[in-house]
Amino acid sequence: NLDTMNAHYQLMKDLSAQMQQSLGVLQNEYNNKSQSLQQEYTVYQQKVQSGAISQIDAEKAQKKMQAEKSELDNIQGKVNDLEKEMQDKNVEMEQKVNDYIASYNKKAHYDYVLAYASLGSQVLCANKQYDITKEILAGINQQYADSLKNANAKH
């Protein structure tokens, strides 16, 4: 059951929380700088329209706003990189689950192991007696916990 796996696979929960925190920081930074740039541009436009700015000051203001726009573009690039990293981590997690299921199946000898979810699944009805989600979830969470212990032991 993919819904259960997504909700209870500790690695997925940890990575999702990490990514959401990083994404939130970047989005806040982007929003603050964007709002500041917009206000600066509005003030600049008012000065230009009223003739209250010299040519030299106007050029300085334009260069400053261009630099701030570059900062915004850089933040957007970081957001894009983070989203790509998240996609890569999802592929990596899916591979870990598939590897674990293959290992699990060496003992279980199932002909098929199907994934299903509450929405968008091709499996419309399944006998709960054959649902191995709990065993798979327990196993991959144990693998993850062991990998964290091993990583901490090395440090």
Side-chain angles (χ1 to χ4, degrees):
N1 183 331
L2 295 176
D3 298 329
T4 301
M5 295 290 290
N6 289 337
H8 299 290
Y9 183 17
Q10 194 60 46
L11 174 60
M12 183 173 289
K13 289 166 55 174
D14 290 351
L15 287 174
S16 180
Q18 227 174 21
M19 294 293 181
Q20 290 303 321
Q21 181 181 6
S22 297
L23 190 58
V25 168
L26 287 173
Q27 286 175 331
N28 284 339
E29 184 180 358
Y30 184 89
N31 290 341
N32 291 339
K33 287 184 184 268
S34 176
Q35 197 171 34
S36 174
L37 180 59
Q38 182 62 41
Q39 289 170 349
E40 195 174 324
Y41 181 73
T42 301
V43 169
Y44 167 78
Q45 285 291 88
Q46 289 171 348
K47 286 181 181 180
V48 167
Q49 288 175 354
S50 67
I53 190 169
S54 70
Q55 180 70 26
I56 293 173
D57 288 340
E59 289 173 8
K60 284 180 188 177
Q62 287 174 354
K63 286 181 182 178
K64 183 176 183 253
M65 287 185 290
Q66 286 173 343
E68 289 172 3
K69 174 68 169 95
S70 292
E71 285 182 42
L72 284 175
D73 292 343
N74 186 34
I75 294 169
Q76 184 61 49
K78 288 178 183 178
V79 168
N80 293 344
D81 291 347
L82 189 61
E83 289 171 346
K84 170 78 169 93
E85 181 182 348
M86 194 163 192
Q87 288 173 347
D88 293 345
K89 294 289 185 184
N90 283 334
V91 168
E92 185 179 314
M93 282 187 292
E94 185 177 326
Q95 187 59 51
K96 285 179 187 280
V97 171
N98 289 340
D99 291 347
Y100 184 82
I101 290 172
S103 173
Y104 176 91
N105 201 38
K106 287 179 183 175
K107 297 176 205 155
H109 305 290
Y110 289 110
D111 291 326
Y112 300 97
V113 176
L114 303 173
Y116 68 94
S118 58
L119 294 173
S121 176
Q122 297 300 316
V123 178
L124 302 178
C125 181
N127 186 334
K128 298 252 186 244
Q129 134 185 8
Y130 301 115
D131 187 349
I132 59 172
T133 304
K134 288 180 184 175
E135 292 102 25
I136 299 298
L137 189 56
I140 59 174
N141 277 332
Q142 187 60 53
Q143 269 187 345
Y144 177 57
D146 292 346
S147 72
L148 290 176
K149 285 178 192 173
N150 291 339
N152 288 335
K154 290 179 183 177
H155 295 289

